[in-house]
Structure formats: structure tokens, C-alpha cells
Amino acid sequence: TQCPSHFYGNTSAKLCENCVAPCKECKGPSATLDCISCQDNSFLSGFACLASCADGFYGAGSPENACRACDTA
């Protein structure tokens, strides 16, 4: 079965467990490897939620909350 929002399926324990902050949606227990989307005031970069984006990127706000590349023009 599928877990509800803000939870991931722990297959070994056969339970739905809470995503770790600042992950909003996740695919596992790690806040640096398993995030799919982020809570407000953090930005998704790869599978991690960061307080700020790396150089050359900007934080696109809600509902996306993700790091996006700056225009190079």
C-alpha cells in the first residue's frame, strides 16, 4: 500500500514513517538523500532540502521550493 503525504514506506518495518524535516515529501528516512519536496523556507537540490541554494542557483518559492539555475544571458 501507499503511504499518505509526509510519510514514506519503511519496507523492513512494514510501516509508514514521517518524513524528516525539512523534507515535505520523501522516499526514505534521510533528510539529505531522500527528499522529493521541501517545506517552506527550504529548497530542493537533488534529493536534499537546503536553507539556501548554491552559487549560480536561486530558490524558487512555493509551491515549488526548489533550486533553479540562474539565467546565464
Side-chain angles (χ1 to χ4, degrees), residues 2-73:
Q2 185 136 355
C3 294
S5 288
H6 313 293
F7 290 82
Y8 70 93
N10 181 330
T11 54
S12 60
K14 297 184 181 175
L15 296 170
C16 290
E17 297 193 22
N18 282 311
C19 294
V20 177
C23 297
K24 184 175 181 180
E25 301 293 332
C26 64
K27 60 181 181 145
S30 174
T32 57
L33 299 173
D34 295 326
C35 296
I36 296 169
S37 66
C38 302
Q39 297 174 352
D40 290 343
N41 300 319
S42 61
F43 304 100
L44 187 66
S45 178
F47 291 104
C49 293
L50 308 174
S52 60
C53 298
D55 288 345
F57 293 81
Y58 69 95
S62 186
E64 189 174 6
N65 292 346
C67 293
R68 295 288 171 232
C70 297
D71 289 336
T72 57

